[in-house]
Amino acid sequence: MRTALVTGASRGIGAAIVAQLEKDGCKVLTPSRSEMDLSSSHSIGQYLANLKEDIDILVNNAGINQIAALDDIELANVISILQVNLLAAFQLAQHLSKDMKQRKYGRIVNISSLWSVVTRSGRTSYAMSKTAINGMTRSMAIELASFNVLVNSVAPGYVLTDLTRQNNSPEEIEKIAQAIPMKRLAEPEEIANLVAFMCSEKNSYLTGQTIVVDGGYSCL
C-alpha cells in the first residue's frame, strides 16, 4: 500500500483527491492546520521531524488567494501567499523527496492554477505563486527523474466547489460557464482523477509537466 500526504484536504479539490486516492488503495495523511501550519516553516519542519510514515506520494494542494488591485497589494500579503502556495510546497517536496530517492519511487503533484498561464486583474500575488510552482515542478522533475520520482503540476480552471458557490450567485456561475468552451465548470472529481493518475504507478513516464484542466478556457 502506498502512503500519500495531501495538504488542503478538508474540502473542494483536496477532499476529492483524498477520496480518489483512498479508492485507489492508498493510505492518505491529511494534516490539519493545528498539526502543520503551512504559513510557518517552523511548523512544517516540526511536522516532518515527527513524521514516522514513509511517504510515497505528495500532493501540494493547499493554497490561498487574496484578490487585490496592484496599487492596493501589501507586501505582507504577498509574502503570506508565497509562503503557503510556494515555499511550503517546496519545503515538503525537498524533504520528502530525499527518502523517495532512496526508495527509487515517488510521485509529487503540485496543484497550480489556470492563472499561472493566463491571468486577470487582481491576481498578481496569486499568479506569481502559481507560476513559480510550475517552474519549481520542472526543475525538481529534472533532478529527480533518474530516481523514478515523477513531479508534475495540475492547473485547474474554474471548478464547481462549495467555495465557488459561496462566492458567486447562480447567475454569476452561469456567466462564467458561458465563457468556457465546454459551457460548464469542472467538477472536483474531474481534477482528482487526473491527479490520481499522476500519483499512480500507471504514470511511469510523465514528469515535469503542467497540465491545464479548464474546459478549453485558456485556448481562447
Side-chain angles (χ1 to χ4, degrees), residues 33-194:
R33 185 172 183 178
S34 63
E35 295 173 300
M36 179 172 65
D37 182 357
L38 297 178
S39 68
S40 165
S41 60
H42 177 72
S43 176
I44 297 168
Q46 282 192 319
Y47 178 85
L48 292 171
N50 294 325
L51 185 63
K52 305 304 181 185
E53 304 274 357
D54 289 333
I55 304 299
D56 306 294
I57 297 162
L58 170 64
V59 181
N60 284 309
N61 171 71
I64 57 175
N65 181 14
Q66 298 172 342
I67 299 173
L70 183 60
D71 289 346
D72 298 327
I73 296 174
E74 297 182 4
L75 184 58
N77 288 340
V78 176
I79 293 170
S80 175
I81 288 172
L82 291 176
Q83 169 58 40
V84 173
N85 294 5
L86 175 65
L87 299 180
F90 168 79
Q91 188 175 356
L92 289 169
Q94 182 190 44
H95 180 93
L96 295 175
S97 64
K98 294 175 183 178
D99 286 339
M100 292 178 181
K101 287 165 64 176
Q102 291 184 350
R103 296 194 302 274
K104 295 292 193 292
Y105 185 89
R107 300 291 184 266
I108 299 172
V109 179
N110 300 311
I111 303 304
S112 181
S113 170
L114 167 66
W115 307 125
S116 71
V117 293
V118 298
T119 194
R120 61 188 301 182
S121 296
R123 301 304 197 281
T124 299
S125 300
Y126 187 72
M128 286 166 58
S129 69
K130 294 301 185 178
T131 303
I133 277 284
N134 298 348
M136 184 184 81
T137 295
R138 290 190 295 270
S139 295
M140 286 188 172
I142 291 171
E143 291 200 33
L144 299 174
S146 63
F147 299 94
N148 191 34
V149 179
L150 308 184
V151 189
N152 292 286
S153 290
V154 173
Y158 289 103
V159 181
L160 195 57
T161 62
D162 290 341
L163 187 61
T164 300
R165 293 186 181 95
Q166 290 173 14
N167 293 339
N168 297 274
S169 67
E171 292 76 19
E172 289 170 330
I173 290 174
E174 179 58 26
K175 185 177 180 180
I176 291 170
Q178 291 307 309
I180 299 170
M182 289 192 69
K183 303 303 179 186
R184 67 177 180 85
L185 282 66
E187 295 291 340
E189 292 75 17
E190 292 178 296
I191 309 301
N193 287 339
L194 175 58

